[in-house]
Amino acid sequence: MGEPTDTWFVREILAHEQALMRFLHRNWRDHDEVGDLRQEIYVRVYEAAMRQPPDSPKSFLFATARNLLADRVRRQRIVSITAVGDLEQLNVLQDELEPARWLGGREALARLARALDRLPRRCREVVWLRRVEDLPQREIARRLGISEKTVEKHIAKGTRMMADHFYGGSEAGAKRDETQKTHARIRKTT
């Protein structure tokens, strides 16, 4: 960058402040935080521009804004263990689970683990990344080096196999597989 970063920033970034503020007000429910969000976006853009100015400043500004909002949403979903701390010190009533309910939850978790273990390796990876780690299909495809369509097929197959395990047992899945094979044989002969 031939010109100082400050001059570039004022000309290329601050020129879009009104559009950025409209974007933030439309996409962030707590309007009291919008000013802080704007400042954090500006800091990120400025620091990145000091290393390498973006080719398309306006696009970079709004991509940075979207990424910041996504980061904030992800952080809000996470419950800190230290925030919970020692429940006894909070001096509130604890909802004690009765033993049968506690045992039922443990059994359901064990069934879920068994259902996941029964999935083919790649299918299990895809289901885990999508359902547990909550990654988008595009990211899963990129990470595993497969197409998004293949990711969709693995998710559908994994969901079907797990549903069979939970609701139909292994016999239902085996019967469905046998029925599909029979239909395939019939189609080949006709």
Side-chain angles (χ1 to χ4, degrees):
M1 178 174 347
E3 64 185 320
T5 305
D6 293 350
T7 306
W8 173 88
F9 189 82
V10 169
R11 188 185 73 248
E12 297 292 338
I13 301 300
L14 290 183
H16 304 292
E17 185 168 11
Q18 287 181 344
L20 176 64
M21 292 301 284
R22 282 192 304 271
F23 173 83
L24 292 173
H25 278 286
R26 265 193 328 266
N27 292 292
W28 194 252
R29 65 184 164 274
D30 188 351
H31 294 275
D32 293 337
E33 293 180 1
V34 167
D36 292 337
L37 291 170
R38 177 190 59 202
Q39 289 309 113
E40 192 169 340
I41 292 164
Y42 284 163
V43 167
R44 289 182 180 193
V45 169
Y46 189 87
E47 288 174 348
M50 287 181 65
R51 289 186 301 274
Q52 173 68 41
D55 293 330
S56 177
K58 183 177 180 182
S59 297
F60 185 73
L61 172 68
F62 284 94
T64 303
R66 281 190 302 277
N67 291 339
L68 176 65
L69 295 182
D71 289 347
R72 288 282 181 102
V73 168
R74 260 186 246 115
R75 257 189 256 131
Q76 287 176 348
R77 287 183 182 174
I78 298 171
V79 176
S80 172
I81 293 173
T82 57
V84 175
D86 186 10
L87 293 177
E88 291 176 17
Q89 287 182 349
L90 293 177
N91 211 15
V92 295
L93 293 174
Q94 286 181 295
D95 181 23
E96 290 291 329
L97 292 179
E98 56 191 62
R101 191 168 161 207
W102 180 82
L103 185 60
R106 301 234 348 134
E107 287 173 356
L109 189 57
R111 282 186 75 195
L112 177 61
R114 284 192 303 273
L116 271 169
D117 287 342
R118 294 176 119 185
L119 297 177
R121 185 188 59 79
R122 180 62 75 154
C123 186
R124 182 175 51 243
E125 284 179 297
V126 170
V127 169
W128 182 268
L129 291 171
R130 183 71 184 115
R131 302 292 183 216
V132 177
E133 294 190 23
D134 201 25
L135 292 178
Q137 286 183 194
R138 179 175 286 150
E139 174 63 19
I140 296 167
R142 186 194 64 74
R143 215 183 250 197
L144 299 178
I146 58 178
S147 71
E148 284 188 62
K149 194 70 170 168
T150 303
V151 170
E152 287 177 22
K153 288 179 182 179
H154 281 304
I155 291 170
K157 179 180 180 180
T159 302
R160 186 178 63 247
M161 289 176 74
M162 290 180 74
D164 286 347
H165 178 77
F166 275 96
Y167 302 111
S170 56
E171 295 90 29
K175 286 179 187 174
R176 192 193 73 250
D177 290 343
E178 190 57 42
T179 304
Q180 288 175 344
K181 289 176 185 174
T182 303
H183 288 292
R185 281 193 297 263
I186 293 170
R187 280 190 294 253
K188 285 182 183 177
T189 59
T190 57

